[in-house]
Amino acid sequence: VVINPPTDYSLRFTIEPKGKVDNWGSILFFTPGGTRQRVPGIIFYPGSTKLQVRTDDSDGMEYQDLPYELALHRKHAIEVRVYGTKSSVYVDGELAAQKTIGTR
């Protein structure tokens, strides 16, 4: 759902990790251009099912890490909400991470 692109948005998807990879595991990258503008960027940490969500702003790379790994072979509902200066990540309906971010 796009509210006011690219500043306010909500993104929902379901993911089922099947394994782990040695490098960063790219799930989703939206970018208006350039390698340091990810609005959003969602990746798995190397060798892990832990997510990092990037919501870059005008000052540079903004990101938040989930405090835990996602379970393998289980579907997880992920929602990223970015409204104003707040970025929130929900996993299976529960708030997993939240932070204040700069302007985009």
Side-chain angles (χ1 to χ4, degrees), residues 45-66:
Y45 266 86
S48 173
T49 61
K50 185 177 181 178
L51 290 179
Q52 182 179 87
V53 178
R54 296 182 179 181
T55 52
D56 298 353
D57 61 25
S58 57
D59 292 331
M61 200 167 15
E62 285 282 348
Y63 62 89
Q64 53 191 326
D65 301 328
L66 291 189

Side-chain angles (χ1 to χ4, degrees), residues 16-55:
E16 181 178 355
K18 300 284 190 178
K20 300 176 183 183
V21 296
D22 292 335
N23 293 315
W24 291 97
S26 179
I27 299 167
L28 175 75
F29 277 95
F30 286 125
T31 178
T35 59
R36 300 190 66 78
Q37 298 175 328
R38 295 161 180 141
V39 189
I42 302 172
I43 54 180
F44 282 120
Y45 266 86
S48 173
T49 61
K50 185 177 181 178
L51 290 179
Q52 182 179 87
V53 178
R54 296 182 179 181
T55 52

Side-chain angles (χ1 to χ4, degrees), residues 48-98:
S48 173
T49 61
K50 185 177 181 178
L51 290 179
Q52 182 179 87
V53 178
R54 296 182 179 181
T55 52
D56 298 353
D57 61 25
S58 57
D59 292 331
M61 200 167 15
E62 285 282 348
Y63 62 89
Q64 53 191 326
D65 301 328
L66 291 189
Y68 52 84
E69 291 191 39
L70 299 179
L72 288 171
H73 307 289
R74 181 174 167 246
K75 291 183 180 180
H76 299 276
I78 308 296
E79 182 173 3
V80 177
R81 296 180 189 170
V82 176
Y83 297 113
T85 58
K86 188 190 312 184
S87 173
S88 307
V89 181
Y90 293 81
V91 177
D92 299 325
E94 299 291 324
L95 181 64
Q98 187 173 65

